[in-house]
Structure formats: structure tokens, C-alpha cells
Amino acid sequence: MSLGVLYGVGIGPGDPQYITLRAAEVLRSADVVFNVISRNAEESVSGAVVRHFAPQGDIRQLVFSMSRDPAVRQAQVQANADAIRAELEAGRHCAFATLGDPMTYSTFGYVLAILRAALPGLAVEVVPGVTSFAMLAARSARVLAENGEQLRVIPSFTEQQARQLDFPPHSATVLLKTYRSRPALLERLREEKGLRLLYGEHLTMPGEFLAEDDEALNALRERDQEYLSLLLVKRDRS
């Protein structure tokens, strides 16, 4: 039997209406749809989006370790890749549904590398998705980057890295996962003058929150730390 096709499907920030027509088609038609879920959760944001489209195939949930031990994390990635590989070798078409875009800070990239090495000739189709930072700009109606501005995306940072963040003139810096090292981040932001800030949580989902400038600083200081959060920091030319 020939191998199944592997689809990496970007499902955007969490609201099903923001995925592409192609993504919806793949989710509905794949033999198996994999999505990521937290270890102790009964449902996930990605799982809810997948179920919205009533797939004809099986839905399988994958847990990815958040351990600080790289060996533990890699073992979990390998186990998940092995589960997908078994379905592909059985000739079943498999979709991996991931929040945002499959090729931008996604667990799909790790799984894809393993499967390509293990299954030469594997057919792969990637369906792009809306990233969180694109949605932050859209929901706030604020330009993400224009007129030669340097756009930078920083996925996560330690306390030490937060204190060393720089915000060059004529730049737009996206800080993902702002729940990490918040006190150090706040300290760093307070040191700078002339920054424009835009903070967002749970974009397009219940509980969505947006705040700008001083309100963004207050939100970082006072609100609970959220995994699905990000901050846009902009600095003009002068």
C-alpha cells in the first residue's frame, strides 16, 4: 500500500471563521486529523476548531511535553511522529491541525522533519494559517509594519534575555508568550522612551483583550499570565 499524504494545516488564532477554504476542505476529508492538547485538558482550542468542521475521519489528540529537559521533549515529539507515521504507512491521509501557521513556531515543524527522514518520498502539503501577530494588527486596526520598518518576531525569552531586549528605531518587534519573565519585561519596557505598545490575549476567542501603550503596561503588570498572549512594540525613526 502506498503512503498517505501528510497535511500541515494552519487553523489561525482560534476562531474557525479565520481559516482558509483549503484548510476546511482538508480537515473535512482527511482520514485522520491530529491536533495538540495540553496534558490535563479535556479539550483544546485547536480541537474545538477541528470539530467545528465535522471531519469524516478520526480525530486524534497529541500531547507535547513542556518539560525543561530537551531529552524529554524530544522523546514526546518522536512518539507523536511515530503515531502519525503508523497511519501514513497504512495509506491513510493525515492532517496535523495547528494554531497559527504550520511553518511558524509550530510543533508541526519538528514532526515534519522526523517523518521526512523516516519516509522518503512522503507527499506533504502545507496549508498556511493566520498568525497571531497578523491577527493582533487586524483586531486593533493598527499597521504591523510598513515603509521599510524592520519586523522582528521573538518567540520566547528568559528573564535575562528580557532585560537585554532592544527596540531599534523604525522597527516593529513582536514578543510572543509574554507570560514568561513578565517582571523583567516590564522593567525593560519602562527603561525605554518613545515606544508604542499593543498587547493582546485570546484573539478572536471569548475573553479577547486588547490594550495600547500605558494600558498595555498596566495589563502586563496586573492581568493573569496567559499562554495565548503577545505584545507588539514599535519605535519610530527618531
Side-chain angles (χ1 to χ4, degrees), residues 44-213:
S44 65
V45 175
S46 60
V49 175
V50 167
R51 295 181 192 282
H52 176 85
F53 293 97
Q56 68 172 16
D58 298 331
I59 299 175
R60 298 271 298 277
Q61 297 180 323
L62 302 175
V63 174
F64 283 83
S65 174
M66 301 294 286
S67 171
R68 294 181 180 274
D69 186 339
V72 173
R73 295 197 305 271
Q74 183 57 36
Q76 186 72 75
V77 171
Q78 183 67 58
N80 289 334
D82 289 343
I84 299 172
R85 176 181 176 177
E87 299 295 344
L88 292 169
E89 289 182 326
R92 306 184 82 188
H93 301 320
C94 297
F96 187 112
T98 178
L99 288 174
D101 177 76
M103 309 305 277
T104 308
Y105 302 120
S106 168
T107 49
F108 175 72
Y110 301 114
V111 169
L112 176 61
I114 293 173
L115 292 174
R116 275 181 162 160
L119 300 172
L122 174 66
V124 177
E125 179 183 338
V126 176
V127 184
V130 177
T131 62
S132 60
F133 45 93
M135 185 54 71
L136 178 64
R139 297 296 273 188
S140 63
R142 285 184 56 174
V143 173
L144 181 62
E146 65 181 347
N147 192 28
E149 281 183 319
Q150 181 186 58
L151 176 61
R152 308 181 310 162
V153 182
I154 301 175
S156 62
F157 39 87
T158 64
E159 185 172 308
Q160 180 179 357
Q161 290 169 332
R163 292 195 177 97
Q164 296 173 344
L165 289 169
D166 67 322
F167 306 105
H170 203 51
S171 70
T173 303
V174 177
L175 302 175
L176 304 178
K177 300 179 181 178
T178 61
Y179 68 95
R180 294 180 175 176
S181 309
R182 273 200 178 179
L185 174 59
L186 278 165
E187 180 182 333
R188 180 70 189 95
L189 291 171
R190 289 196 186 100
E191 294 173 351
E192 294 285 340
K193 303 296 182 183
L195 299 180
R196 290 179 289 139
L197 307 178
L198 176 60
Y199 174 71
E201 295 175 4
H202 295 281
L203 302 177
T204 77
M205 293 176 283
E208 176 182 273
F209 176 81
L210 292 169
E212 299 183 17
D213 301 325

